[in-house]
């Protein structure tokens, strides 16, 4: 089995006195789509934020290729971040800048590429997410699905090693959600990315997941393939899949 | 309609116990319990009941519990089912958080103040560090952001600063002029106004206008970026939000504040000049000569240094409040208000310190 690209051990997260995550152990394997799932409020997004160091874990360790992330020096951490792409739940595009500038920022700030090459790369990535027509639009002029795609273009503009997606299809209609999921699979195959998706959308899980991590009430209750999850015989997981079934 | 009938010690509940029909019953039932000896409550006549009716029924049970010898008869099964449905929900209610005592509240406020102050000092150190480094290394900031901020924070503020300074200069000169004219000391208006405007009023008013106009805008922008995860997105793009968002504003106000103060002095002097020439009938040449006479380069240096310190305070406080925002749109509004109030307070305190040091 491949060595994990991200390895989480004994992770605990708290807000004040209340415990959000307890004793989380998980391994993200390279070139796989790992889906972190669970019901609303179970701590999925908190887990993602703790892995990315947007929030500091109360206890435990998060390693990137065996290197501890939680207490990594800021300069080294900035270097690591350049290998990560993050798609936020609310897209998080910079509202004052057009789509083009939003996508060009990482290239302008972290590379010494000429403006012509940057321009070519931005257009390439926008083409990849099928958003060529909106290049000079402001985020406020885009629909929810278009914002997600623009944010995805920004997240992959530096060809990251890992792409983290927080609820990429939430609030989207089934067709747009399908298109976005297919886009993620397309990116995985074309750019050979490792993808981590946080979601509770069953359709997305079925389409994307190579491996799933099921969080319930702040604890990791299952990790394995979707097929293994169906056979695990855990009531919470069975109810979760049963509730989302549409016959 | 909900009907209540009290007859020979029995309280009869009849009709629809629903939200629309309950007004009278809700106030009448406690009154009956207070004034009479209720031996039996008979809900057998209730034909319909909703959540409001169920809540009133809970109240009736409570009243019956506190009245000695009251028997409550069962309701019809279909009505009892509705009561049970809502009762089971009420049983699961969590208790509201216990309110802190005044001593704990003071302690919590002091702790929050200490933490907030510590974060503000860290932020100020970050801003100064990146502002200094940023002069030599342009990376980590967007191209054109400095000129854009200079236009927004400086040039766009010029008309309002000039207008208000002109009006304030006019008013102060008029009030002072009236008193001075009474003592035939009108000629000293030039000295007074020149000294007061340059030393105190222009830098102070400009800073207060900038705190209200630009400080609030900076806080609102950063707070909105925080709420909409844009700050997190910058972090994840390996960009320092302080360097990327705050430092261009810091550089811009540092450059533009002395220019704004200079324009404020000119506009206020113009307002004062109108009073001097129009009301006190002073000679224009003499007024200008006396105005310039009191000006010393060191005075101007202190004024501009002071104005730059005010500008730094505005940006640091505005950024601090923006980054500290919690909640959604309401949080942004609260942070913006706090930013303006704290900035004005800090400016006045700093001005007092300057006045004491450079008396």
């Amino acid at each position: 089995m491949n060595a994990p690209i991200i390895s989480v051990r004994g992770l605990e997260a708290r807000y004040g006195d209340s415990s959000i995550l307890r004793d989380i152990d998980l391994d993200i394997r390279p070139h796989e789509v790992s889906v972190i799932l669970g019901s609303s409020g179970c701590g999925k997004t908190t887990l993602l934020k703790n892995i990315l160091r947007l929030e500091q874990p109360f206890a435990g360790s998060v390693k990137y290729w065996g290197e501890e992330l939680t207490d990594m020096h800021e300069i080294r951490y900035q270097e690591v971040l350049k290998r990560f792409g993050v798609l936020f739940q609310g897209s998080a595009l910079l509202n004052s800048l057009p789509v083009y500038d939003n996508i060009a920022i990482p290239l302008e700030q972290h590379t010494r590429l000429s403006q012509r090459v940057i321009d070519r790369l931005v257009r390439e990535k926008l083409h990849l997410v099928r958003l060529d027509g909106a290049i000079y639009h402001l985020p406020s002029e885009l629909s929810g699905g278009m914002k997600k795609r623009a944010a995805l273009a920004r997240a992959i503009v530096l060809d990251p090693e890992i792409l983290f997606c927080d609820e990429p299809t939430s609030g989207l209609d089934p067709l747009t959600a399908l298109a976005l999921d297919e886009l993620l699979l397309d990116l995985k195959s074309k750019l050979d990315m490792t993808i981590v998706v946080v979601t509770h959308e069953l359709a997305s899980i079925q389409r994307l997941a190579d491996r799933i991590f099921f969080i319930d009430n702040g604890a990791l209750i299952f990790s394995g393939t979707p097929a293994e999850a169906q056979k695990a015989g855990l009531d919470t997981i069975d109810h979760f899949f049963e509730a989302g079934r549409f016959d | 309609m909900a009907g209540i009938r009290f007859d020979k010690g029995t309280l009869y509940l009849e009709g629809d116990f629903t939200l629309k029909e309950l007004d009278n019953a809700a106030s009448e039932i406690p009154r009956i319990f207070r004034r009479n000896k209720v031996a039996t409550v008979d809900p057998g006549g209730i034909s319909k009941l909703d959540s409001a009716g169920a809540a009133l029924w809970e109240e009736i049970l409570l009243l019956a519990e506190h009245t000695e010898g009251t028997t409550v008869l069962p309701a019809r099964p279909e009505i009892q089912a509705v009561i049970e449905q809502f009762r089971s929900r009420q049983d699961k209610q969590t208790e509201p958080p216990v309110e802190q005592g005044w001593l704990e509240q003071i302690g919590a406020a002091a702790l929050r103040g200490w933490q907030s102050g510590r974060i503000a000092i860290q932020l100020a150190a970050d801003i100064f560090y990146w502002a200094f480094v940023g002069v030599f290394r342009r990376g980590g900031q967007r191209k054109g952001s400095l000129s854009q901020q200079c236009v927004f924070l400086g040039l766009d503020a010029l008309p309002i600063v000039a207008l208000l300074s002109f009006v304030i200069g006019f008013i102060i000169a008029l009030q002072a002029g009236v008193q001075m004219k009474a003592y035939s000391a009108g000629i000293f208006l030039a000295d007074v106004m020149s000294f007061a405007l340059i030393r105190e009023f222009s830098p102070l008013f400009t800073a207060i206008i900038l705190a209200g106009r630009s400080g609030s805008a900076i806080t609102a922008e950063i707070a909105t970026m925080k709420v909409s995860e844009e700050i997190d997105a910058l972090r994840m793009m390996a960009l320092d939000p302080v360097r990327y968002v705050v430092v261009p504003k810091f550089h811009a106000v540092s450059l533009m504040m002395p220019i704004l103060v200079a324009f404020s002095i000119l506009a206020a002097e113009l307002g004062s000049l109108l009073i001097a020439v129009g009301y006190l009938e002073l000679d224009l040449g003499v007024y200008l000569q006396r105005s310039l006479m009191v000006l010393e380069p060191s005075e101007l240096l202190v004024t501009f240094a002071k104005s730059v310190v005010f500008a730094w305070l505005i940006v640091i406080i505005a950024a601090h409040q923006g980054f500290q925002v919690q909640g959604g749109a309401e949080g942004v509004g609260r942070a913006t208000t706090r930013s303006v109030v704290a900035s004005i307070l800090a400016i006045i305190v700093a001005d007092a310190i300057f006045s004491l040091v450079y008396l």
Side-chain angles (χ1 to χ4, degrees):
Chain A
M1 191 179 271
N2 291 333
I5 189 165
I6 297 274
S7 175
V8 178
R9 289 290 175 272
L11 190 130
E12 199 176 331
R14 288 186 181 183
Y15 289 139
D17 290 335
S18 53
S19 172
I20 308 299
L21 294 169
R22 295 181 306 280
D23 204 21
I24 303 283
D25 290 350
L26 61 84
D27 289 329
I28 308 289
R29 305 270 165 204
H31 318 299
E32 283 186 355
V33 179
S34 300
V35 175
I36 299 169
L37 75 153
S39 50
S40 300
C42 70
K44 304 185 294 287
T45 299
T46 304
L47 174 58
L48 189 65
K49 285 186 172 175
N50 277 267
I51 290 173
L52 293 170
R53 220 171 89 166
L54 280 170
E55 287 170 9
Q56 198 64 27
F58 182 77
S61 104
V62 179
K63 286 184 174 162
Y64 165 71
W65 287 126
E67 202 177 352
E68 186 61 48
L69 271 179
T70 51
D71 58 2
M72 185 180 275
H73 190 277
E74 190 61 28
I75 294 172
R76 172 71 187 133
Y77 176 61
Q78 298 275 323
E79 286 305 314
V80 170
L81 278 179
K82 290 174 195 169
R83 297 182 213 164
F84 291 178
V86 183
L87 171 60
F88 285 86
Q89 191 173 354
S91 303
L93 293 167
L94 302 184
N95 275 312
S96 55
L97 302 179
V99 169
Y100 178 95
D101 288 347
N102 261 288
I103 296 163
I105 289 171
L107 294 167
E108 286 169 352
Q109 297 299 330
H110 301 312
T111 69
R112 296 183 175 198
L113 298 172
S114 69
Q115 195 53 49
R116 281 171 64 90
V117 178
I118 288 177
D119 189 68
R120 188 181 294 275
L121 274 169
V122 169
R123 287 171 194 279
E124 227 171 60
K125 292 297 188 296
L126 275 172
H127 180 70
L128 205 62
V129 299
R130 292 150 216 162
L131 209 63
D132 313 62
I135 189 162
Y136 298 117
H137 285 41
L138 283 168
S140 57
E141 295 165 339
L142 304 179
S143 68
M146 289 164 91
K147 276 184 194 165
K148 290 256 164 117
R149 280 185 280 151
L152 183 58
R154 186 178 68 183
I156 60 168
V157 75
L158 290 177
D159 293 335
E161 198 176 3
I162 318 178
L163 175 66
F164 295 91
C165 305
D166 187 8
E167 310 261 6
T169 53
S170 72
L172 301 181
D173 67 83
L175 284 176
T176 313
L178 172 68
L180 200 71
D181 287 343
E182 283 175 347
L183 195 58
L184 287 174
L185 290 173
D186 201 23
L187 288 173
K188 185 200 162 197
S189 64
K190 278 183 185 157
L191 303 174
D192 200 22
M193 268 178 206
T194 303
I195 300 179
V196 179
V197 179
V198 166
T199 188
H200 55 226
E201 309 273 342
L202 264 189
S204 290
I205 296 161
Q206 281 161 354
R207 282 193 288 261
L208 295 172
D210 293 321
R211 189 174 298 276
I212 63 174
F213 299 98
F214 199 104
I215 309 279
D216 183 43
N217 218 6
L220 181 73
I221 60 164
F222 174 82
S223 66
T225 63
E228 286 166 350
Q230 308 270 6
K231 294 178 200 153
L234 291 167
D235 283 350
T236 314
I237 298 178
D238 291 345
H239 286 151
F240 186 87
F241 285 114
E242 190 62 35
R245 187 167 294 160
F246 183 79
D247 295 318
Chain B
M1 178 150 177
I4 309 155
R5 191 160 52 82
F6 186 66
D7 187 26
K8 293 175 187 165
T10 301
L11 175 65
Y12 295 96
L13 308 177
E14 293 159 342
D16 291 355
F17 268 58
T18 57
L19 184 63
K20 277 192 281 184
E21 312 289 348
L22 277 180
D23 283 356
N24 285 337
S27 54
E28 196 58 31
I29 291 170
R31 200 175 301 144
I32 292 171
F33 268 91
R34 269 200 308 274
R35 292 181 182 168
N36 305 283
K37 169 81 184 111
V38 180
T40 312
V41 177
D42 182 0
I46 298 177
S47 52
K48 197 175 169 187
L49 185 127
D50 64 4
S51 61
L56 181 61
W57 176 249
E58 294 290 328
E59 287 301 308
I60 294 168
L61 288 182
L62 212 63
L63 287 167
E65 239 174 64
H66 289 99
T67 311
E68 214 179 310
T70 303
T71 310
V72 180
L73 300 178
R76 283 165 38 206
E78 64 271 27
I79 298 299
Q80 193 60 39
V82 179
I83 290 169
E84 290 304 323
Q85 189 185 6
F86 289 109
R87 179 181 292 161
S88 64
R89 283 176 196 172
Q90 283 178 8
D91 289 346
K92 284 177 191 163
Q93 277 181 358
T94 48
E95 290 296 316
V98 181
E99 266 190 38
Q100 290 179 324
W102 63 272
L103 202 61
E104 286 160 308
Q105 282 183 24
I106 292 171
L111 195 65
R112 275 199 306 273
W114 160 249
Q115 282 166 346
S116 177
R118 200 166 48 89
I119 292 167
I121 290 167
Q122 278 173 352
L123 177 69
D126 255 10
I127 293 173
F128 281 116
Y129 174 76
W130 287 120
F132 182 72
V133 170
V135 172
F136 305 101
R137 279 203 343 235
R138 300 296 300 159
Q141 292 174 33
R142 205 163 63 82
K143 279 179 197 150
S145 57
L146 178 61
S147 55
Q148 193 187 22
Q149 292 301 325
C150 281
V151 170
F152 174 65
L153 299 172
L155 207 60
D156 289 354
L158 194 57
I160 187 73
V161 167
L163 178 68
L164 288 177
S165 299
F166 173 81
V167 175
I168 288 165
F170 184 89
I171 294 167
I172 296 171
L174 181 63
Q175 296 294 338
V178 169
Q179 304 303 322
M180 286 176 159
K181 199 176 181 183
Y183 294 101
S184 305
I187 187 64
F188 295 112
L189 183 72
D191 305 49
V192 170
M193 288 305 291
S194 204
F195 196 75
L197 289 175
I198 291 167
R199 279 294 294 260
E200 283 303 321
F201 291 132
S202 280
L204 193 63
F205 287 138
T206 308
I208 289 172
I209 294 165
L210 212 70
R213 184 192 172 276
S214 308
S216 60
I218 292 169
T219 304
E221 181 187 333
I222 294 172
T224 309
M225 286 179 79
K226 175 115 191 279
V227 168
S228 59
E229 295 183 306
E230 290 175 46
I231 296 291
D232 284 347
L234 284 173
R235 285 208 176 98
M236 288 299 104
M237 286 189 273
L239 292 170
D240 188 323
V242 170
R243 195 175 182 190
Y244 192 83
V245 181
V246 185
V247 168
K249 299 180 198 309
F250 188 83
H251 283 150
V253 288
S254 303
L255 282 172
M256 296 308 288
M257 188 67 166
I259 297 170
L260 285 174
V261 170
F263 272 95
S264 165
I265 292 169
L266 288 176
E269 283 283 12
L270 188 66
S272 166
L273 190 76
L274 280 182
I275 294 298
V277 176
Y279 178 68
L280 297 176
E281 295 168 351
L282 295 178
D283 179 70
L284 178 66
V286 173
Y287 183 88
L288 289 176
Q289 194 189 12
R290 289 198 73 90
S291 292
L292 291 170
M293 211 169 67
V294 293
L295 269 183
E296 280 184 35
S298 63
E299 298 286 346
L300 279 173
L301 204 66
V302 171
T303 295
F304 289 132
K306 182 158 86 167
S307 70
V308 171
V309 171
F310 292 166
W312 290 350
L313 285 172
I314 293 168
V315 175
I316 290 166
I317 291 169
H320 174 242
Q321 293 297 340
F323 283 122
Q324 291 297 298
V325 75
Q326 283 181 330
E330 195 192 338
V332 176
R334 269 202 305 269
T336 308
T337 308
R338 273 202 304 267
S339 161
V340 174
V341 172
S343 295
I344 292 173
L345 186 72
I347 288 163
I348 291 171
V349 170
D351 190 44
I353 293 168
F354 264 101
S355 297
L356 286 171
V357 174
Y358 296 101
L359 200 63

